[in-house]
Amino acid sequence: MKKNDKELLTSRRRFLRQSACSALGITGVVNTLAHLRLVNSALAQAGPLPDYKALVVLFLFGGNDSNNLLIPQKNHPAYADYKSGRGVLKILDSTDSAYVSGDPASIPLTTTSGDYGVHPAAPGIASLFNSGELAFVANVGTLVYPTTRAQFNAGSVPLPPQLFSHSDQQVQWQSSVPDQPFTSGWGGRVADLLASQSYADGQVSLSVSLAGINSLQLGDQEIQYALTSEGAIPLSGYSNASGPYGAALNADGSYKTNLQGKRLKAFNDITNYTYQHLLEDDHAHVVKRAQANEGLIGAAFTEAAASGVDFDTIFTNAQTNLGDQLKTIAKLIAGRNSLGNRRQIFFASIGGFDTHQDQLDAQVNLLGELSGGLKAFSDTLIALGVNDSVLTVTHSDFTRTLTPNGQDPNTAGSDHGWGGHQLVLGGPVNGGQVYGAFPSLKLGQDLDAGSSNRGRWIPTTAVDQYASVAARWLGVSQGNLSSIFPNLARFNDPFGGSANLGYVTV
């Protein structure tokens, strides 16, 4: 597409969307079918969004024990140390002579990066990896500087504060600046930068969360927009069988003469009033923006329904909290013309990974939900024809200790660790590989932090390196990376250096 054509399309799209939002804010028509048809018709004539890209950040809260997600197989040099260190939590290669028929066994992966398998509850992840849609990035974690075991034990380099603390490590993952007080998330800084470069042409924020307000998407300019798996949350008290505002609005968007209609009109009159007090005026703007966003989210869902893709059928085996979040994100991507942004950052999450006990049973459910959700999400994006435009990356507080905290496989779990393995998914991914550096899994040496010999792996890839690859793919220039990741220069270059982080081509 020629530059002038792209600018004309962008300008036309911005005009249509601003006109739609203006109408929504003034009249209170937030979800009527008539208005949605008008918006969708105009956007369809404007054509598809050029150069669209979406990044999905999926946070596994609680500290996913990735020692049992990406597992060395029998011919891997770390296999013997895995067996001895994991104790009652180990999941064996089925070709191991010690393997007992009928016990869970790791699912082998096809890879040129070594002999690996995945948890037996994650066949979807194995399928995605073997088909080239998914890759692993090994031993990622929060770092202030590159750190060796000797430096850690001697205290000779600065370390992330409050290591092994859930809340601190969750925030540090989302900020990528562990040695400074939290002020913003790396996703929020990316969104601010991209919005300033005209990648955000719509009225809905470039940052959308399906898991509530989060630290990752906190920025200075782009305000994260949180919605549920059901969509935007409408004002209560106005819904009926015909829709969220059916009790208050007629089909043409005019107010009904009943009590609900009068109440909604009064509410909109109040929010449209200009207040002298800045706090009151800003609150009214927040309410109006929420109403406008609600209409646009509804328009996106309508656009997705017209795509011809049966979202519910594809997610039949992923009807979980995470599956519902990913299905909604897929619908918003399908409805991207209604939202209007050429770049989008989505946030989703799944909790429950703090497996201090009953880990073997818990991980069957947790990793099963993760695997099923990712597989359905990938299948949906492929059906929509947008898989090459969407990149999904995982975060988690930390991995957990290699050694178990008990000897009974029915009750044992693991404790807080440090560096862990992350998943990257999508058409942009150079899949079927394990990137970064897989730890040796030797207790009391190499990367095992401290003197407890529990298998707390010092990360060999910093969050800065890992996340910067995703940010670069999304559109952040090489020159602007230092403003997003101020500590990045302390580590090996993730783009063509020895860090082995080419999980996408940028």
Side-chain angles (χ1 to χ4, degrees):
M1 181 180 291
K2 295 180 180 179
K3 180 180 180 181
N4 290 341
D5 293 338
K6 182 182 292 186
E7 289 175 350
L8 180 62
L9 176 61
T10 300
S11 298
R12 183 182 179 193
R13 187 176 302 280
R14 187 182 295 114
F15 170 76
L16 290 168
R17 190 157 287 98
Q18 288 174 342
S19 299
C21 286
S22 175
L24 288 168
I26 294 171
T27 67
V29 182
V30 292
N31 228 358
T32 64
L33 293 177
H35 197 80
L36 295 184
R37 289 195 198 100
L38 175 63
V39 173
N40 282 333
S41 175
L43 290 170
Q45 293 176 27
L49 280 171
D51 186 31
Y52 176 81
K53 289 185 177 181
L55 173 66
V56 181
V57 179
L58 171 55
F59 208 107
L60 315 180
F61 281 106
N64 173 39
D65 192 335
S66 56
N67 291 304
N68 270 13
L69 176 58
L70 180 65
I71 308 170
Q73 295 269 274
K74 188 175 69 173
N75 293 327
H76 193 286
Y79 185 69
D81 292 299
Y82 169 81
K83 281 179 61 177
S84 60
R86 275 268 84 170
V88 296
L89 298 180
K90 64 180 176 290
I91 298 175
L92 295 179
D93 184 332
S94 62
T95 65
D96 189 324
S97 59
Y99 173 73
V100 177
S101 179
D103 284 352
S106 56
I107 304 172
L109 298 177
T110 303
T111 173
T112 58
S113 299
D115 294 289
Y116 296 98
V118 295
H119 193 280
I125 290 175
S127 173
L128 291 167
F129 184 97
N130 292 336
S131 65
E133 294 291 324
L134 179 146
F136 285 91
V137 183
N139 200 25
V140 187
T142 58
L143 286 170
V144 177
Y145 287 92
T147 303
T148 65
R149 173 178 164 83
Q151 290 171 326
F152 178 92
N153 289 343
S156 58
V157 296
L159 298 172
Q162 301 300 317
L163 275 174
F164 321 127
S165 156
H166 287 295
S167 58
D168 292 279
Q169 294 309 300
Q170 288 166 6
V171 170
Q172 289 173 32
W173 258 93
Q174 293 174 76
S175 75
S176 86
V177 192
D179 56 338
Q180 297 179 27
F182 177 81
T183 58
S184 63
W186 72 260
R189 297 193 295 274
V190 170
D192 285 344
L193 179 64
L194 294 178
S196 72
Q197 297 174 343
S198 300
Y199 281 111
D201 298 319
Q203 294 298 315
V204 173
S205 174
L206 193 150
S207 298
V208 175
S209 172
L210 272 294
I213 300 301
N214 57 83
S215 298
L216 183 124
Q217 293 179 313
L218 181 62
D220 290 330
Q221 302 299 322
E222 282 293 288
I223 301 172
Q224 57 184 294
Y225 178 55
L227 65 157
T228 71
S229 298
E230 313 301 318
I233 302 174
L235 294 170
S236 62
Y238 303 105
S239 63
N240 64 13
S242 63
Y245 295 91
L249 295 174
N250 296 308
D252 62 358
S254 61
Y255 297 102
K256 292 183 176 180
T257 58
N258 59 12
L259 178 61
Q260 290 95 329
K262 292 176 181 178
R263 282 172 49 209
L264 184 59
K265 184 180 185 306
F267 179 84
N268 285 324
D269 287 344
I270 292 171
T271 57
N272 285 324
Y273 184 77
T274 300
Y275 295 88
Q276 290 185 340
H277 194 290
L278 292 178
L279 205 56
E280 292 175 331
D281 200 53
D282 193 55
H283 179 267
H285 280 292
V286 169
V287 174
K288 287 192 288 187
R289 184 172 62 240
Q291 286 185 300
N293 286 344
E294 188 182 336
L296 291 169
I297 295 298
F301 280 11
T302 300
E303 184 182 345
S307 68
V309 171
D310 190 338
F311 296 86
D312 292 338
T313 296
I314 297 176
F315 276 86
T316 296
N317 296 319
Q319 296 181 26
T320 61
N321 180 269
L322 176 60
D324 289 343
Q325 292 177 58
L326 294 176
K327 180 167 65 173
T328 301
I329 291 174
K331 288 180 178 180
L332 294 174
I333 292 171
R336 60 196 178 280
N337 290 324
S338 297
L339 302 182
N341 295 319
R342 290 190 293 129
R343 293 292 184 273
Q344 204 79 62
I345 300 175
F346 295 101
F347 184 85
S349 75
I350 174 176
F353 287 92
D354 194 19
T355 51
H356 285 283
Q357 59 187 12
D358 305 329
Q359 179 169 307
L360 290 178
D361 286 340
Q363 279 201 309
V364 169
N365 296 322
L366 290 165
L367 297 181
E369 181 172 352
L370 176 65
S371 176
L374 291 177
K375 182 65 168 66
F377 186 57
S378 176
D379 289 347
T380 303
L381 297 180
I382 291 171
L384 288 167
V386 295
N387 191 47
D388 289 342
S389 301
V390 184
L391 171 64
T392 300
V393 300
T394 63
H395 284 14
S396 192
D397 322 14
F398 35 64
T399 193
R400 310 185 73 81
T401 55
L402 182 68
T403 61
N405 56 18
Q407 299 305 312
D408 183 347
N410 296 311
T411 59
S414 54
D415 299 317
H416 299 178
W418 194 357
H421 315 314
Q422 302 301 328
L423 298 163
V424 291
L425 168 70
V429 172
N430 301 316
Q433 300 291 320
V434 177
Y435 293 93
F438 193 86
S440 70
L441 306 187
K442 293 185 180 299
L443 300 177
Q445 53 186 300
D446 294 346
L447 294 173
D448 191 2
S451 58
S452 63
N453 301 338
R454 294 291 311 277
R456 289 187 169 101
W457 313 125
I458 300 170
T460 43
T461 295
V463 173
D464 312 61
Q465 296 168 291
Y466 171 65
S468 66
V469 177
R472 186 76 179 85
W473 171 82
L474 200 58
V476 176
S477 69
Q478 188 77 30
N480 283 325
L481 280 176
S482 60
S483 66
I484 309 296
F485 305 100
N487 296 344
L488 182 60
R490 299 173 182 174
F491 304 97
N492 289 337
D493 179 9
F495 308 99
S498 59
N500 184 30
L501 290 177
Y503 63 83
V504 295
T505 301
V506 296

